[in-house]
């Protein structure tokens, strides 16, 4: 089974150097799907506990599956004040955490603190646990603050307003743009917000991340300096492939005089 040899520190160094790392969100609570996608060639997978139905047992199995495929694993938690969610994700072996709904530098500092061990942060130390299985207590904990992938989601007007201060918070590795949440997908306001985000990230050597549905705009954002890019989620992948099959079958059945039409759906 594949196993990545790159540390979190190596992963972040490559991103900062301009090497793209493509991945997916995982919203189903399926360890099987997570494991199969980890073998698909994506660099990282993010288990979305903010919007997905997974509990800690599901999360444990999913992170184990992702590890077996060699992809980096991240978890989106409930928010900057979700200390239990952050703790569980990291203890279960996640390589990093994405914290949504950040609005201020104070919230960013609290999120970073929850993810890093003292004295740089306030993450609780406990042994044994999965995250320490390979390196042991000292090997894992001693290197964790360098290896942790700390990502904050940029998805509110307040976050954009305070982005210069947020980007300057020590320990922030990735600023992850949530265009859907800003609700202005191709508007001039989004362009201005994106430019402001890019300027703040570059000034502080912070990695730029982004969620996209599909691949049509990947090139555009690579040119803008975004290197940590999601091209959708597992459920979107399923529906995209299902839609392609349904379209093909409709065409073939019509051609053969045995017309078949899909059942009505708002998803395809």
């Amino acid at each position: 089974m594949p196993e990545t040899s790159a540390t979190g520190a190596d992963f972040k160094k490559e991103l900062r150097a301009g090497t793209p790392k493509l991945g997916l969100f995982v919203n189903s609570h399926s360890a099987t799907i997570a494991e199969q996608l980890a073998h698909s060639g994506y660099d990282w997978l993010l288990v979305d506990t903010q919007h997905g139905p997974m509990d800690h047992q599901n999360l444990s199995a999913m992170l184990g599956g992702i590890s077996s495929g060699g992809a980096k694993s991240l978890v989106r938690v409930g928010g900057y004040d979700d200390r239990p969610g952050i703790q569980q994700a990291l203890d279960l072996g996640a390589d990093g955490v994405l914290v949504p709904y950040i609005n201020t530098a104070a919230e960013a500092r609290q999120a970073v603190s929850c993810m890093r061990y003292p004295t740089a942060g306030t993450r609780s130390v406990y042994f044994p646990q999965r995250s320490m299985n390979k390196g042991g207590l000292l090997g894992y904990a001693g290197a964790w603050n360098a290896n942790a992938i700390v990502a904050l989601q940029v998805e509110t007007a307040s976050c954009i307003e305070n982005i210069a201060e947020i980007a300057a918070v020590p320990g922030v590795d990735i600023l992850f743009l949530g265009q859907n949440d800003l609700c202005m997908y191709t508007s001039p306001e989004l362009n201005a917000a994106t430019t402001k985000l890019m300027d703040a990230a570059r000034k502080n050597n912070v990695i730029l991340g982004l969620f996209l549905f599909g691949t049509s705009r990947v090139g555009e954002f690579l040119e803008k300096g975004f290197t940590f890019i999601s091209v959708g989620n597992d459920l979107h992948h399923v529906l995209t492939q299902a839609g392609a099959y349904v379209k093909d079958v409709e065409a073939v059945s019509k051609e053969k005089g045995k017309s078949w039409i899909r059942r009505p759906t708002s998803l395809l």
Side-chain angles (χ1 to χ4, degrees), residues 120-212:
T122 57
R123 179 184 170 189
S124 175
V125 181
Y126 189 78
F127 178 84
Q129 56 194 7
R130 175 189 286 154
S131 60
M132 298 179 178
N133 283 348
K134 294 179 181 178
L137 172 59
L138 297 181
Y140 173 81
W144 172 250
N145 288 348
N147 286 326
I149 302 171
V150 179
L152 306 181
Q153 189 154 334
V154 178
E155 57 182 332
T156 68
S158 295
C159 187
I160 294 296
E161 181 180 347
N162 298 315
I163 197 64
E165 294 80 13
I166 291 170
V169 171
V172 174
D173 296 311
I174 300 172
L175 289 172
F176 190 85
L177 179 61
Q179 297 184 108
N180 291 333
D181 299 284
L182 285 168
C183 296
M184 43 187 180
Y185 208 83
T186 58
S187 69
E189 291 87 352
L190 177 59
N191 291 333
T194 303
T195 299
K196 189 173 182 181
L197 166 63
M198 291 162 55
D199 290 344
R202 288 167 181 160
K203 182 178 179 180
N204 293 279
N205 196 28
V206 173
I207 298 156
L208 286 165
L210 175 76
F211 184 91
L212 295 173

Side-chain angles (χ1 to χ4, degrees), residues 31-43:
T32 300
I33 289 176
E35 183 169 5
Q36 292 303 118
L37 287 173
H39 286 270
S40 69
Y42 287 113
D43 298 296

Side-chain angles (χ1 to χ4, degrees), residues 206-240:
V206 173
I207 298 156
L208 286 165
L210 175 76
F211 184 91
L212 295 173
F213 272 123
T215 59
S216 62
R217 302 185 71 194
V218 169
E220 170 192 343
F221 283 96
L222 287 175
E223 288 181 339
K224 291 179 178 179
F226 286 74
T227 53
F228 185 83
I229 300 176
S230 171
V231 293
N233 60 44
D234 56 337
L235 302 180
H236 176 249
H237 269 42
V238 169
L239 289 172
T240 299

